[in-house]
Amino acid sequence: LKSNQVHFLAGRMATWYGSAEGSKPLPNSGWLRAFAVGCSNFSIQYNYQCASIAMAIMATHGDVYVSDPAAADFPAAPWVHKTLLAVVFAGSVAGMLFMGLLGDFIGHRRALLLTKALVVLGAFLCILLPAEASHDFWTHLALWRFIIGVGLGGAYPLTAAVAGGSDQ
């Protein structure tokens, strides 16, 4: 094979494998890429913290904190508080493990869009939960928070890969 054929085949393999997209970077896109990565990391930290804030709000009755969980506006089972805080981190571990690998196969930008879609889907499903605090409410909330966690965790390796320019 000639040198130009090897470069062509290597470029085709990289595009097929997903580690390179083949498009040229936009001129002066470094600041835009850094801004996008910063916004992504901000949204990750926000989503990690919002469960603690939401649990504190749900532990109130008439906007006054109550020490008895049964007296709160959203009475929670004993497993709920720690599980809701832990499940997003468990999802993050799963997202970190699997989304980086998925990014290697389908491309880092596509996988990053998938992680963001998972975050939006999980948040949207949380919005659709019923207003009463039943056992199903807490179970579904934990499941949707896990989906958010997968999206958040997957964003860590993928934003680093995209910011590093490995997926032009």
Side-chain angles (χ1 to χ4, degrees), residues 10 36 40 49 63 75 85 90 102 116 133 137 158:
S40 175
Q49 293 301 317
D63 294 333
L85 298 179
L102 182 65
K116 297 305 176 186
F137 171 85
L158 294 170

Side-chain angles (χ1 to χ4, degrees), residues 143-167:
L143 178 63
W144 307 151
R145 292 289 299 164
F146 181 81
I147 291 173
I148 290 172
V150 171
L152 296 175
Y156 274 116
L158 294 170
T159 53
V162 170
S166 70
D167 200 38

Side-chain angles (χ1 to χ4, degrees), residues 4-131:
N4 60 350
Q5 289 174 327
V6 171
H7 289 289
F8 174 76
L9 289 175
R12 284 299 213 190
M13 281 299 287
T15 301
W16 172 79
Y17 179 64
S19 62
E21 295 287 330
S23 64
K24 295 179 182 177
L26 297 172
N28 299 324
S29 65
W31 68 270
L32 183 59
R33 184 176 293 181
F35 179 73
V37 169
C39 288
S40 175
N41 287 331
F42 174 78
S43 71
I44 290 169
Q45 295 307 318
Y46 170 78
N47 277 293
Y48 284 149
Q49 293 301 317
C50 72
S52 297
I53 296 167
M55 290 304 296
I57 291 170
M58 286 193 235
T60 63
H61 177 69
D63 294 333
V64 176
Y65 181 77
V66 292
S67 59
D68 180 18
D73 291 335
F74 286 91
W79 63 269
V80 167
H81 185 73
K82 291 183 180 180
T83 302
L84 282 182
L85 298 179
V87 74
V88 72
F89 292 107
S92 293
V93 170
M96 286 179 196
L97 291 173
F98 296 112
M99 289 301 187
L101 182 63
L102 182 65
D104 291 338
F105 286 110
I106 68 170
H108 297 120
R109 288 184 184 173
R110 288 185 193 119
L112 185 59
L113 287 174
L114 177 63
T115 63
K116 297 305 176 186
L118 285 174
V119 172
V120 170
L121 175 69
F124 186 70
L125 290 171
C126 286
I127 292 170
L128 295 178
L129 286 170

